[in-house]
């Protein structure tokens, strides 16, 4: 397996058939926790309006989860917060989901002709993602760091990507994959996430409490996959 | 001081007045060694033809140093190799220099209106670069990883940039600067450079012997600066 880490900024880059979208703060973590807590599936939407329209159509079996610049859009039930998608709120529900970066990156990736497998996560399910990748054993994989609203590169997703690379172990690594793995393996790397731009923004808008859960490495064994417009939990094979 | 690490791929990025071009394998190292060994100054050229024309005009006081895809262009005196620019060859000479990436990046940077200070180097002079930056103490600095011919990102320049960040110590770090510093501080990071794409290419074309010198950290106290079309050695203040 050849592993690349990318932020999809280079249009000439040929993306392989297997992609992992890494969004540590906070979408990737929220999706993992929602599936863990029994939500039926998640429908990602590009815009707030599209999510609302779908929510109205689905009625009481749906809830609206998401953010815009980190804040809960008017009319949404829950913020894009892994600590809010608890069993009492999400069990058996369909989540209409919208976030600034993950849904934008997902949209970008699903339009690429060669892409067949789209996995989603963060540090919280890095171990499960690595095991899943070793199981399906694609020739090549692109791990995508989703970035944040103001930057195409962000620290926590780079470290999250590096954690997945490290846990896959035997693979051919590109320069970006080597760099991400080194950053992850650097002493105290995970605590440094607090100094990154996304974490500082999360603290500023009052979501500091989410960060400890988001940076808990390999805490949940769920692999979200995107299939036919829905994000569901892949059974580990 | 605010520190950014960039590969200049994002056209919207505002580059500050102080820039450090990092090219570990091999241009940055060759330039440092040529200045250390007493060359008068270095004139960088975009193309092989332009360098040759200037060399002919300057006559015996000039020598032609450079590469194209790593190989010595026909008519050049020396390859872009830090172990070839010895005293016997370069002392008192003007070097007409052309390399695939550094001269291209230099061209890109010197056209930016705000840029006033352009420093050049690699791991070999990381300590001297950090001291110089602390001395001139700009509000903001952009450390540019020069990449290699086939990629906009390369491992050794990212680690080199991280080494400079680490040695500056007290500074405000962007996400890229934090990531580069973590990669550098990762145990065994410098040896990992051998696994990067540039090092593997250098080995393939027969310049393996240059790598140990290029990855010798803070071995030479020279700070090359670009001024009025020439690269000279800045006196440390």
């Amino acid at each position: 397996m050849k592993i690349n880490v990318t932020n999809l900024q280079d249009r000439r880059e040929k993306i392989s058939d297997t992609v992992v979208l890494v969004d540590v703060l906070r979408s990737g973590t929220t999706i993992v926790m929602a599936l863990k807590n029994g939500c039926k599936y998640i429908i990602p939407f590009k815009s707030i309006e599209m999510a609302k329209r779908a929510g109205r159509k689905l009625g009481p079996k749906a809830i609206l989860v998401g953010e815009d610049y980190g804040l809960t859009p008017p009319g949404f039930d829950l913020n894009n917060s892994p600590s809010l998608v608890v069993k009492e709120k999400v069990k058996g529900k369909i989540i209409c989901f919208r976030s600034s970066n993950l849904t934008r990156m997902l949209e970008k990736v699903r339009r690429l002709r060669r892409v067949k497998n789209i996995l989603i996560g963060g540090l919280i399910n890095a171990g499960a993602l690595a095991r899943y990748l070793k199981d399906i054993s694609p020739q090549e994989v692109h791990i995508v760091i989703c970035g944040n609203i103001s930057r195409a590169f962000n620290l926590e997703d780079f470290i999250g990507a590096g954690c997945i690379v490290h846990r896959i172990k035997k693979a051919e690594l590109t320069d970006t994959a080597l760099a991400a793995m080194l950053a992850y393996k650097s002493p105290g790397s995970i605590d440094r996430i607090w100094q990154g731009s996304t974490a500082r923004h999360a603290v500023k808008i009052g979501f500091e409490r989410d960060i400890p859960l988001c940076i808990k490495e390999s805490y949940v064994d769920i692999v979200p996959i995107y299939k036919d417009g829905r994000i569901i939990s892949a059974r580990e094979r």
Side-chain angles (χ1 to χ4, degrees), chain A:
Chain A
M1 196 189 324
K2 182 180 176 181
I3 313 181
N4 308 270
V5 172
T6 178
N7 60 0
L8 298 182
Q9 289 295 292
D10 183 355
R11 278 160 193 264
R12 297 160 306 174
E13 191 177 25
K14 276 188 192 153
I15 303 301
S16 52
D17 66 354
T18 301
V19 169
V20 183
L21 297 175
V22 173
D23 192 341
V24 171
L25 290 174
R26 299 170 288 159
S27 297
T29 313
T30 302
I31 287 168
V32 167
M33 291 308 289
L35 289 169
K36 178 180 185 288
N37 289 332
C39 93
K40 221 166 156 187
Y41 55 83
I42 295 151
I43 315 177
F45 291 95
K46 269 191 297 184
S47 78
I48 292 165
E49 274 319 306
M50 285 163 80
K52 275 171 138 175
R53 219 174 303 143
R56 274 196 297 273
K57 220 168 160 183
L58 286 164
K61 59 187 170 186
I63 60 167
L64 288 160
V65 177
E67 50 83 23
D68 191 35
Y69 288 90
L71 304 171
T72 316
F76 269 51
D77 298 295
L78 299 173
N79 191 286
N80 171 29
S81 164
S83 47
L84 295 177
V85 290
V86 291
K87 267 201 185 98
E88 300 73 53
K89 299 273 187 189
V90 305
K91 191 159 185 176
K93 299 276 189 185
I94 298 163
I95 292 181
C96 297
F97 184 79
R98 193 269 172 187
S99 77
S100 317
N101 292 283
L102 185 93
T103 51
R104 192 172 46 84
M105 285 306 222
L106 181 57
E107 191 59 26
K108 208 168 172 177
V109 160
R110 72 171 190 81
R111 285 169 186 272
L112 299 170
R113 207 181 307 160
R114 294 174 66 198
V115 173
K116 281 186 193 129
N117 308 307
I118 303 177
L119 317 177
I120 295 167
L123 277 165
I124 200 161
N125 66 337
L129 284 166
R131 276 197 304 280
Y132 189 87
L133 285 168
K134 283 198 279 189
D135 268 356
I136 65 169
S137 192
Q139 268 212 313
E140 193 171 353
V141 56
H142 278 79
I143 305 180
V144 176
I145 61 173
C146 286
N148 61 33
I149 196 74
S150 49
R151 284 180 188 79
F153 178 93
N154 68 338
L155 182 65
E156 70 279 9
D157 293 344
F158 192 64
I159 290 175
C163 178
I164 299 166
V165 175
H166 170 67
R167 284 175 166 266
I168 292 175
K169 293 227 156 63
K170 279 184 189 160
E172 181 194 340
L173 306 185
T174 59
D175 282 29
T176 47
L178 278 164
M181 188 186 69
L182 286 175
Y184 163 72
K185 287 174 76 178
S186 201
S189 65
I190 289 186
D191 281 338
R192 286 279 188 175
I193 287 173
W194 287 91
Q195 290 172 37
S197 56
T198 327
R200 282 184 286 121
H201 181 67
V203 169
K204 205 191 283 174
I205 61 171
F207 285 100
E208 185 172 344
R209 65 166 184 276
D210 284 346
I211 300 177
L213 179 58
C214 291
I215 64 178
K216 226 171 202 169
E217 193 204 310
S218 306
Y219 177 60
V220 176
D221 276 344
I222 290 224
V223 174
I225 58 167
Y226 175 81
K227 205 137 218 167
D228 306 323
R230 298 171 178 184
I231 300 168
I232 54 171
S233 173
R235 267 192 226 147
E236 286 198 55
R237 312 190 321 171

